[in-house]
């Protein structure tokens, strides 16, 4: 039987009201918050704005600019670098387009570089810019990325006034070939970094070092470009911007853009087992919300945490919509995630803009400002890892200025349930801090190699050692990389890849260093996924090596655009995974075991109820088994063994020690088995609640508990950064605890106290853990 759904924009409010009062949803809506529409604040065009730009704006119906756009203009005219921080869809694009076009019209030699985090966003923004240029504004705009044909690259280099690219192409394609870009770098006026908040953790640390290299090349050719950065709301935008570019930045955050009405719905799935605290699956409930919206003619995006959940949810929704049509067309829903090929991504983006695709299930790949048309509803399946991400994802609906709705469907995770129990706290919670570490030894070494290949380092640039010996009297290093580059260069000289002659350090190796360095991870080796079904031998995706060991091991189920594949082999040395299409009724999840060894103790911190030690650790992890999880019911239907070598990395860690402290005394009342369960429960909670303080995902942190730690001799919890060398998360958590002593511990204690389960569940300490003992331990942690 086929069903027809009529779409009518005017009736969407009544449709939404029917959904919200539906007995299947209404009892489990914890909070409905209405964010009213607000008017914008505008100012006249700048008095010195080129008349051709003003005319172009008026032709698009723009007669004034928002106050934050005007503030950015004024700061740039004073010669300052600027970071502008305003919500989604607030007109940040015009903040950099206006001054850039003005500068390029005044000086026919001037150039500008626009950097976007993804190729998809680059192409989207070129379309926006093309609406302004041409005719009376004769400025050539060129995209230069991995998809640009060779035939167009020479013209882009030689005649492009605005080059649109991404950090990856700047790193591997432009900077190593800077002699071909002499005209461009000699006249570079502005560097635009859009979605700057996306550059955090490993990627942000890499990008900061790429920008150091960019500044070196610009200085070599005699230019000193100004930086314009755009960011969504985070707690430390100025600090992040200054760390990224290595220069002072002026913050503009007086948003003048209007906002359409938005409803935020907090929804907690019903309990299916109150004793064990088990709730209905977040995937199942998110699917129900998406189906209700789509059947009501409301275009919807659903954000899922992972690639697997994205594919599973899209498959469920398409299955449910198989016989339902709207306006005589089947309702089409697609999965959008990392690993899709460029033509697949563009097809989905085009379908969303044109309306042939009514819904999309996405990872955070669509969180950024790509134009995907007028979506009316956003469903966020589980807390996305940070408040910044939540507001970005909810902002994907209603970008065209109309009313919209965002539904946050809680999972059973401790943080999700804490939010459901404290909805007012959720709406008043400020954004988190973004952390990067461009001096991470692994990342810094990679980019010093690249920089030496591009231009020789001088002794003055990296600082001179006094009489060849390192001491406190060493001269400061004025170069972009600072004194840290000197130690790296000396190490590379010993390795034979650089040569120190006179006062210069020259690249002395035959390799092309940028080629083997990925900005997406601290490691440079991705695994290619090849479909060998019926002799196809087609590449359908790629994955970094550590993730590959956890997700595409032999006999794993790999999902790609709704299709299921069984992994036939994972060849780590040759970076290749072979998969074959199959129909199975389950998906797979790898189980990881971890060991840890302390290497250094760099700083000791007193947190009143426990002691913290910051230092380096060696982490060994191995995926030894996997479980099979049945579709729909999500029951465990079996296990399998995995035979892969262990991963080993050195990283940064915060060790919490519970010796002769209040918390340690509380643990002394329990036996060793109980202490292990208590620390395991507390570690699970800390890992899931960390995003309250840091702009990170729980998966960015690892936690290991020790009943009696062999290094410190007392019970301990190790919280470590899951990237080689660390990205500042361990330090960020330590200093956050130092500033707000007890806040994290009080929060996780409330999670346990407010959870309705009897003996531990996924929403608090985890199934089978010691809930009462963990509660007593956490109570002691909250009292000095």
């Amino acid at each position: 039987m086929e069903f027809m759904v009529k779409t009518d924009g005017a009736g969407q409010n009544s449709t939404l009201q029917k959904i919200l009062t539906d007995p299947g949803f209404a009892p489990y809506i914890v909070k409905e918050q209405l964010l009213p529409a607000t008017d914008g604040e505008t100012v006249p065009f700048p008095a010195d704005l080129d008349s051709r730009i003003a005319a172009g704006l008026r032709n698009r119906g723009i007669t004034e600019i928002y106050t934050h756009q005007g503030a950015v203009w004024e700061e740039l005219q004073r010669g300052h670098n600027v970071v502008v921080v305003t919500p989604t869809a607030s007109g940040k694009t015009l903040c950099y387009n206006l001054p850039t076009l003005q500068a390029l019209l005044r000086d026919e030699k001037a150039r500008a570089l626009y950097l976007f985090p993804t190729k998809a966003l680059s192409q989207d923004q070129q379309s926006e810019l093309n609406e302004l240029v041409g005719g009376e504004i004769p400025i050539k705009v060129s995209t230069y990325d991995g998809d640009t044909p060779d035939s167009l690259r020479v013209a882009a280099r030689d005649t492009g006034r605005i080059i649109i690219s991404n950090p990856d192409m700047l790193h591997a394609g432009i900077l190593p070939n800077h002699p071909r870009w002499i005209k461009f770098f000699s006249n570079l006026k502005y560097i635009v970094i859009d979605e700057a908040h996306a550059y955090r953790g490993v990627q942000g640390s890499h990008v900061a070092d790429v920008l150091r290299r960019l500044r070196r090349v610009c200085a070599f050719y005699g230019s000193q470009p100004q930086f314009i950065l755009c960011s969504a709301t985070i707690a430390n935008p100025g600090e992040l911007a200054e760390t990224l570019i290595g220069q002072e930045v002026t913050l503009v955050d007086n948003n003048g853009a209007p906002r359409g009405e938005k409803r935020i719905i907090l929804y907690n799935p019903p309990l299916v087992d109150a004793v064990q605290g088990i709730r209905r699956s977040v995937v199942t409930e998110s699917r129900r919300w998406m189906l209700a919206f789509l059947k009501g003619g409301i275009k919807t995006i659903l954000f899922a945490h992972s690639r697997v959940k994205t594919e599973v949810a899209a498959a469920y929704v398409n299955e449910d919509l198989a016989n339902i049509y709207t306006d005589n067309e089947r309702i089409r829903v697609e999965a959008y995630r990392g690993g899709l090929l460029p033509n697949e991504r563009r097809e989905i983006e085009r379908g969303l803009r044109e309306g042939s695709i009514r819904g999309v299930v996405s990872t955070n790949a669509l969180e950024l400002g790509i134009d995907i048309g007028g979506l009316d509803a956003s469903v966020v399946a589980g807390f996305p890892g940070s408040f910044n991400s939540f507001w970005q994802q909810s902002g994907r609906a209603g970008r065209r200025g109309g009313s919209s709705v965002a539904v946050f469907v809680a999972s059973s995770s401790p943080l999700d349930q804490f939010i459901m129990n404290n909805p007012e706290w959720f709406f008043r919670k400020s954004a988190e801090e973004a952390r990067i570490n461009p001096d991470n030894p692994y990342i810094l070494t990679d980019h010093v190699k690249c920089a030496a290949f591009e231009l020789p380092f001088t002794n003055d640039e990296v600082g001179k050692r006094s009489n060849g010996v390192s001491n406190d009297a060493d001269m400061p290093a004025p170069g972009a990389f600072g004194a840290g580059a000197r130690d790296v260069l000396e190490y590379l000289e010993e390795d034979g890849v650089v040569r120190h002659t006179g006062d210069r350090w020259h690249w002395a190796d035959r390799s092309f260093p940028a080629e083997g360095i990925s900005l997406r991870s601290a490691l440079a080796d991705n695994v290619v996924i090849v479909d060998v079904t019926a002799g196809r031998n087609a590449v359908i995706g790629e994955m970094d090596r550590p993730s590959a060991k956890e997700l595409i091991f032999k006999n794993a189920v790999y999902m790609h655009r709704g299709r299921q594949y069984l992994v036939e082999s994972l060849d780590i040395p040759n970076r290749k995974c072979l998969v074959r299409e199959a129909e199975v009724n389950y998906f797979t999840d790898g189980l990881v075991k971890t060991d840890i060894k302390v290497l250094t103790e760099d700083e000791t911190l007193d947190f009143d109820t426990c002691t913290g030690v910051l230092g380096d650790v060696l982490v060994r992890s191995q995926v030894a088994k996997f479980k099979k999880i049945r579709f729909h019911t999500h029951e465990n239907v079996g296990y399998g063994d995995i035979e892969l070598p262990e991963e080993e990395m050195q990283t940064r860690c915060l060790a919490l020690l519970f010796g002769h402290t209040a918390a340690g005394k509380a643990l002394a009342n329990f036996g060793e088995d109980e202490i292990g369960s208590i620390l395991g429960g507390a570690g699970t909670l800390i890992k899931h609640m960390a995003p309250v303080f840091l702009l990170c995902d729980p998966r960015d942190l690892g936690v290991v508990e020790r009943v009696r730690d062999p290094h410190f001799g007392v019970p301990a919890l190790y919280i470590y950064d899951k990237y080689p060398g660390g990205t500042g998360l361990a330090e960020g958590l330590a200093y956050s605890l130092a500033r707000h002593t007890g806040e994290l511990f009080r929060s996780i204690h409330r999670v346990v106290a407010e959870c309705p389960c009897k003996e531990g569940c996924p929403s608090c300490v985890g199934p089978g853990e010691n809930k009462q003992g963990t509660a007593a331990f956490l109570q002691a942690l909250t009292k000095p």
Side-chain angles (χ1 to χ4, degrees):
M1 181 181 291
E2 295 181 353
F3 297 90
M4 299 292 293
V5 175
K6 296 224 179 222
T7 59
D8 177 53
Q12 282 189 358
N13 283 337
S14 60
T15 300
L16 176 60
Q17 204 54 41
K18 287 179 182 177
I19 295 171
L20 297 181
T21 55
D22 186 303
F25 294 118
Y28 314 108
I29 294 176
V30 172
K31 178 77 173 178
E32 179 181 345
Q33 184 91 352
L34 181 65
L35 305 180
T38 59
D39 295 327
E41 295 182 27
T42 60
V43 294
F45 291 154
D48 53 344
L49 181 66
D50 190 288
S51 60
R52 291 168 288 181
I53 301 175
L57 292 174
R58 291 191 183 97
N59 289 338
R60 298 176 60 194
I62 301 172
T63 57
E64 291 188 314
I65 58 175
Y66 298 134
T67 51
H68 61 276
Q69 294 166 342
V72 170
W73 174 280
E74 292 175 4
E75 292 298 335
L76 289 170
Q77 303 312 305
R78 297 186 183 111
H80 299 160
N81 300 310
V82 178
V83 57
V84 57
V85 182
T86 54
T88 304
S90 56
K92 287 191 282 285
T93 301
L94 213 54
C95 288
Y96 51 79
N97 278 341
L98 284 188
T100 298
L101 293 176
Q102 177 85 354
L104 270 57
L105 287 173
R106 280 182 174 176
D107 180 358
E108 62 181 18
K109 292 182 180 180
R111 301 288 193 271
L113 175 64
Y114 285 13
L115 296 175
F116 298 96
T118 65
K119 288 185 283 189
L121 192 55
S122 297
Q123 291 160 355
D124 185 66
Q125 292 299 317
Q126 178 167 8
S127 300
E128 172 82 12
L129 193 54
N130 284 341
E131 293 182 12
L132 268 177
V133 302
E136 293 296 314
I137 305 178
I139 293 174
K140 182 178 178 180
V141 180
S142 300
T143 295
Y144 195 95
D145 60 25
D147 296 339
T148 305
D150 290 342
S151 58
L152 299 179
R153 292 191 178 191
V154 174
R157 281 198 305 263
D158 294 344
T159 61
R161 303 285 307 283
I162 298 176
I163 296 294
I164 296 178
S165 191
N166 54 66
D168 303 87
M169 192 63 182
L170 178 65
H171 153 67
I174 297 177
L175 290 176
N177 299 295
H178 63 84
R180 300 179 181 179
W181 294 78
I182 294 176
K183 184 189 297 185
F184 181 80
F185 284 122
S186 299
N187 297 284
L188 190 55
K189 174 67 175 175
Y190 286 122
I191 298 171
V192 172
I193 303 173
D194 198 17
E195 307 286 356
H197 62 280
Y199 299 125
R200 60 184 189 266
V202 168
Q203 187 186 10
S205 303
H206 273 295
V207 170
D209 280 333
V210 171
L211 294 174
R212 287 171 167 179
R213 290 161 51 197
L214 174 59
R215 286 171 50 215
R216 286 185 81 231
V217 170
C218 288
F220 180 75
Y221 290 111
S223 64
Q224 292 183 315
Q226 288 175 258
F227 285 86
I228 310 171
L229 300 95
C230 299
S231 172
T233 302
I234 57 175
N236 61 334
E239 178 190 359
L240 176 64
E242 290 183 349
T243 308
L244 275 172
I245 71 170
Q247 296 180 345
E248 290 186 359
V249 170
T250 299
L251 172 66
V252 173
D253 57 1
N254 58 325
N255 178 36
R259 182 184 67 196
E261 182 183 87
K262 182 181 289 291
R263 291 177 186 271
I264 306 292
I265 309 295
L266 302 188
Y267 176 85
N268 205 10
L271 283 165
V272 294
D273 187 330
V275 175
Q276 299 185 63
I278 298 174
R279 296 183 180 273
R280 199 177 291 166
S281 161
V282 64
V283 175
T284 300
E285 292 301 280
S286 300
R287 175 189 70 176
R288 290 180 60 235
W289 276 99
M290 188 176 199
L291 283 171
F293 287 139
L294 290 172
K295 289 178 181 179
I298 299 173
K299 289 182 68 177
T300 305
I301 183 169
L302 190 161
F303 284 100
H305 267 313
S306 65
R307 297 178 180 185
V308 172
K309 286 184 178 178
T310 296
E311 292 285 0
V312 168
Y316 287 175
V317 172
N318 277 314
E319 185 181 306
D320 291 331
L321 292 173
N323 297 312
I324 299 177
Y325 289 73
T326 176
D327 297 334
N328 297 315
E329 292 183 359
R330 183 181 169 189
I331 301 176
R332 182 180 166 195
V333 175
E334 288 282 355
Y336 189 104
R337 57 171 177 77
L340 294 179
L341 300 176
N343 60 315
E344 293 175 324
R345 288 197 311 268
R346 288 174 195 154
E347 177 193 340
I348 296 170
E349 292 159 12
R350 183 170 56 252
L352 285 165
R353 283 193 297 269
E354 296 173 352
S356 59
I357 297 176
R358 303 285 300 172
V360 61
V361 184
S362 177
T363 58
N364 61 359
L366 280 179
E367 183 179 302
L368 303 178
I370 302 167
D371 183 9
I372 51 174
L375 294 168
D376 305 304
S378 172
V379 179
V380 181
F383 190 70
S386 70
F387 289 87
N388 167 267
S389 288
F390 173 80
W391 292 112
Q392 285 283 103
Q393 292 179 8
S394 65
R396 294 304 287 163
R399 284 177 63 89
R400 298 285 168 85
S403 60
S404 61
V405 60
V407 181
F408 171 26
V409 180
S411 72
S412 294
S413 80
L415 180 52
D416 287 34
Q417 291 306 308
F418 181 78
I419 291 170
M420 291 299 134
N421 288 319
N422 300 274
E424 300 300 333
W425 171 87
F426 174 75
F427 285 106
R428 68 172 183 267
K429 178 71 179 71
S430 58
E432 309 91 337
E433 294 183 349
R435 293 284 170 187
I436 61 174
N437 180 18
D439 294 321
N440 172 298
Y442 296 91
I443 295 172
L444 180 64
T445 300
D446 282 342
H447 290 283
V448 168
K449 286 181 183 178
C450 295
F453 176 89
E454 291 152 8
L455 292 167
F457 279 93
T458 65
N459 283 341
D460 288 340
E461 187 180 356
V462 298
K464 297 178 181 177
R465 293 196 185 279
S466 304
N467 300 318
V469 179
S470 178
N471 58 42
D472 292 339
D474 286 355
M475 293 178 63
F481 281 90
R486 181 183 58 202
D487 294 330
V488 175
L489 288 167
E490 290 174 350
Y491 163 75
L492 294 176
E493 184 184 26
E494 292 177 9
D495 208 32
V497 297
V498 301
R499 184 179 71 255
H500 191 197
T501 304
D503 67 344
R504 292 180 180 270
W505 304 77
H506 298 269
W507 182 251
D509 195 75
R510 294 183 178 181
S511 65
F512 181 75
E515 190 175 44
I517 298 168
S518 167
L519 302 191
R520 309 290 164 165
S521 69
L523 303 169
D525 41 3
N526 278 6
V527 174
V528 175
I529 302 167
V530 182
D531 176 14
V532 296
T533 308
R536 290 176 192 157
N537 290 319
V539 175
I540 59 173
E542 65 176 1
M543 194 176 294
D544 64 273
R545 191 193 69 220
S547 296
K549 287 185 174 182
E550 296 183 23
L551 296 173
I552 52 175
F553 43 82
K554 186 178 180 180
N555 295 321
V557 176
Y558 176 69
M559 301 187 69
H560 180 79
R561 300 197 72 183
R563 294 180 178 175
Q564 298 169 328
Y565 299 85
L566 273 178
V567 175
E568 291 195 346
S569 66
L570 174 60
D571 185 351
I572 290 294
N574 293 308
R575 308 293 184 257
K576 183 183 289 186
C577 174
L578 304 182
V579 300
R580 190 177 299 275
E581 204 165 335
E583 286 290 335
V584 293
N585 65 347
Y586 64 89
F587 57 97
T588 51
D589 188 23
L591 304 174
V592 184
K593 62 178 183 180
T594 305
D595 187 35
I596 200 163
K597 178 183 178 182
V598 176
L599 299 178
T600 66
E601 298 177 37
D602 299 333
E603 188 175 356
T604 301
L605 301 159
D606 182 7
F607 298 140
D608 292 333
T609 56
C610 67
T611 302
V613 176
L614 267 173
D616 288 345
V617 293
L618 182 68
V619 179
R620 296 186 181 96
S621 60
Q622 187 169 26
V623 189
K625 287 184 177 291
F626 70 92
K627 56 184 177 180
K628 301 176 181 178
I629 304 169
R630 192 188 301 278
F631 284 122
H632 300 291
T633 64
H634 290 202
E635 61 184 303
N636 189 350
V637 294
Y639 287 89
D641 292 324
I642 301 172
E643 296 181 1
L644 289 171
E646 68 179 13
E647 281 285 318
E648 188 176 277
M649 72 169 178
Q650 182 176 332
T651 187
R652 298 290 290 168
C653 175
L654 171 64
L656 298 179
L657 310 180
F658 310 107
H660 302 293
T661 62
K665 293 174 183 175
L667 286 176
N669 296 321
F670 299 93
E672 285 198 357
D673 289 344
E674 291 177 301
I675 292 174
S677 179
I678 289 168
L679 291 177
T684 297
L685 288 163
I686 289 173
K687 179 175 178 176
H688 282 91
M689 293 297 289
V692 172
F693 301 90
L694 300 170
L695 189 51
C696 73
D697 189 280
R699 291 166 291 188
D700 295 334
L701 296 171
V703 177
V704 173
E705 69 274 3
R706 290 279 178 80
V707 174
R708 182 162 294 280
D709 182 66
H711 183 84
F712 293 107
V714 297
L717 268 176
Y718 288 89
I719 306 164
Y720 64 91
D721 197 316
K722 291 185 77 172
Y723 295 96
T727 58
L729 294 181
E731 288 85 353
L733 183 58
Y735 301 143
S736 180
L737 283 172
R739 288 197 306 268
H740 311 290
T741 301
E743 186 177 342
L744 172 62
F745 300 139
R746 283 193 295 273
S747 296
I748 61 178
H749 179 256
R750 285 176 64 184
V751 170
V752 178
E754 293 170 349
C755 186
C757 75
K758 303 268 187 205
E759 299 176 351
C761 71
S763 298
C764 59
V765 297
E769 301 291 357
N770 188 333
K771 182 180 181 181
Q772 283 70 33
T774 304
F777 170 65
L778 294 174
Q779 180 71 29
L781 272 178
T782 63
K783 293 181 178 179

